[in-house]
């Protein structure tokens, strides 16, 4: 399957807390949940670690490098400084133009 | 820091686990020995040699940036069973800093065991929030015109930095250049310094 998001796409990280419902090996840091960023590139497909770590069936999910600006995330920092985070496709939603 | 003696209970547990894995044909004793040997041999010298070659060989540099895993394999490092390696290219305008906020993901195949500070909650929490402050404590001053990109190693890749080749190293051999590089330079908490190699 091809990546849903192309390089340059604006995305929003879902502001979900699935860890309150079940045991998951989550790789989505809290500091980017609900935040908007830009897809730098797709990194390839990997078995979903949320399930893999608990020995459940773990279908492959597309992983992306998503770039966030520092200041909106932390309300501090130098303009132009960024955070680059690996995030899985099922955590990302498109942001309308 | 001296390693603690493993407890007798842990040794028994490990022996039982290895026994079960080999009995089920999931692993052989030889595979476990090979993995242990590769893990113990891994050190920042490998990453340093890769960066030194990239500084002197534009074709290798392009291959390293396009596919770090394949580039490591050119150095005889097998990444079979390991996460893929990505390489982050510093420029005069952009400095990368690698952290794993969720645990301690680290490019072990090319850098060896992570240093204790890399695993500390202080580094993991502060590197993403105040990278310039953390770097200043290392004595690493990033000019205001250089953007910092903190790379949070959250998932299935492992990341190494390709720093900018320092001035004053024109004509140096790969060995001389590799001596400028350790774990700190290869995850971006320090910049390669020419004085370091000259003093050596």
């Amino acid at each position: 399957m091809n990546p849903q998001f192309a390089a340059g796409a604006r995305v929003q990280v879902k502001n979900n807390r699935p860890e309150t419902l079940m045991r998951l090996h989550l790789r989505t840091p809290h500091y980017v949940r609900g935040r908007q960023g830009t897809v730098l590139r797709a990194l390839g497909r990997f078995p979903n670690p949320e399930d893999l770590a608990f020995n459940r069936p773990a279908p492959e999910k597309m992983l992306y490098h998503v770039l966030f600006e520092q200041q909106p995330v932390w309300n501090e920092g130098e303009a132009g400084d960024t955070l680059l985070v690996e995030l899985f496709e099922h955590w990302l939603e498109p942001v309308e133009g | 820091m001296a390693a603690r003696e493993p407890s007798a209970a842990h040794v028994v547990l490990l022996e039982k686990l290895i026994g079960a894995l080999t009995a089920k044909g999931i692993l052989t004793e030889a595979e476990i020995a090979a993995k242990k040997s590769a893990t113990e041999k891994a050190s920042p010298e490998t990453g340093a040699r890769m960066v030194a070659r990239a500084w002197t060989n534009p074709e290798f540099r392009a291959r390293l940036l396009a596919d770090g895993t394949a580039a490591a394999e050119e150095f005889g490092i097998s990444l079979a069973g390991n996460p893929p390696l990505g390489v982050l290219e510093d420029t005069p305008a952009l400095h990368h800093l690698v952290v794993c906020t969720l645990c301690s993901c680290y490019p072990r195949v090319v850098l060896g065991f992570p240093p204790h500070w890399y695993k500390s909650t202080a580094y993991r929490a502060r590197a993403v929030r105040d990278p310039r402050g953390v770097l200043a404590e290392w004595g690493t001053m990033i000019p205001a015109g250089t953007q910092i990109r903190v790379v949070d190693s959250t998932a299935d890749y492992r990341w190494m930095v390709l720093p900018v080749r320092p001035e004053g190293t024109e004509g140096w051999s790969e060995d001389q250049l590799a001596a400028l590089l350790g774990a700190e330079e290869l995850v971006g908490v320090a910049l390669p310094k020419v004085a370091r190699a000259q003093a050596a």
Side-chain angles (χ1 to χ4, degrees):
Chain A
M1 267 173 37
N2 290 325
Q4 180 189 344
F5 300 106
R10 289 289 293 171
V11 290
Q12 175 151 337
V13 184
K14 292 178 186 173
N15 196 9
N16 290 348
R17 298 287 187 274
E19 66 272 36
T20 59
L21 305 174
M22 62 187 295
R23 274 150 58 89
L24 294 157
H25 184 56
L26 283 179
R27 310 309 299 169
T28 305
H30 283 83
Y31 68 84
V32 294
R33 296 192 201 176
R35 301 292 178 175
Q36 293 189 1
T38 304
V39 170
L40 210 61
R41 65 186 178 104
L43 293 169
R45 299 175 64 79
F46 295 90
N48 187 352
E50 296 169 7
D51 295 314
L52 187 66
F54 289 97
N55 200 25
R56 299 188 292 257
E60 290 190 345
K61 303 277 185 183
M62 186 61 72
L63 184 67
Y64 296 89
H65 239 175
V66 183
L67 193 66
F68 300 86
E69 289 172 43
Q70 282 271 358
Q71 283 185 339
V73 172
W74 301 112
N75 288 321
E76 62 186 37
E78 197 93 12
D81 286 356
T82 50
L83 295 152
L84 186 58
V85 184
E86 289 160 66
L87 295 168
F88 283 96
E89 191 166 89
H90 61 285
W91 274 90
L92 303 176
E93 292 176 319
V95 173
E96 301 304 323
Chain B
M1 203 162 56
R4 280 187 307 175
E5 284 292 312
S7 77
H10 284 156
V11 171
V12 171
L13 182 65
L14 182 62
E15 283 168 359
K16 297 266 189 205
L17 177 64
I18 291 171
L21 290 170
T22 51
K24 286 174 184 281
I26 295 169
L27 284 174
T28 65
E29 296 271 6
E31 284 169 335
I32 295 169
K35 181 83 183 174
K36 274 175 71 175
S37 155
T39 304
E40 281 159 14
K41 263 198 308 202
S43 84
E45 283 172 35
T46 302
R49 285 194 296 133
M50 291 168 66
V51 166
R53 178 148 322 157
W55 280 346
T56 53
N57 180 333
E59 282 126 35
F60 179 74
R61 180 188 187 92
R63 291 201 297 279
L64 180 66
L65 291 170
D67 184 347
T69 305
E73 282 167 356
E74 289 185 41
F75 278 76
I77 309 295
S78 169
L79 271 77
N82 286 293
L85 176 69
V87 178
L88 306 154
E89 182 182 31
D90 278 358
T91 70
L94 181 66
H95 176 80
H96 290 89
L97 177 66
V98 180
V99 62
C100 173
T101 57
L102 298 177
C103 44
S104 57
C105 298
Y106 188 76
R108 291 179 181 227
V109 286
V110 290
L111 297 189
F113 289 106
H116 68 91
W117 54 262
Y118 185 87
K119 301 184 278 185
S120 70
T121 47
Y123 177 72
R124 289 160 48 203
R126 294 185 58 221
V128 277
R129 177 155 189 165
D130 180 21
R132 286 177 189 269
V134 169
L135 288 170
E137 289 172 23
W138 286 89
T140 302
M141 306 310 290
I142 304 297
T146 301
Q147 294 182 348
I148 295 184
R149 181 171 289 177
V150 181
V151 180
D152 191 354
S153 188
T154 48
D156 282 78
Y157 259 75
R158 298 294 177 267
W159 300 99
M160 179 175 83
V161 176
L162 170 54
V164 176
R165 180 172 172 170
E167 287 178 16
T169 59
E170 294 73 19
W172 285 26
S173 70
E174 278 186 34
D175 285 347
Q176 286 174 299
L177 291 167
L180 298 174
L181 298 157
E184 294 170 13
E185 288 78 11
L186 297 170
V187 294
V189 295
L191 298 172
K193 290 175 208 66
V194 171
R196 174 175 163 159
Q198 284 173 335

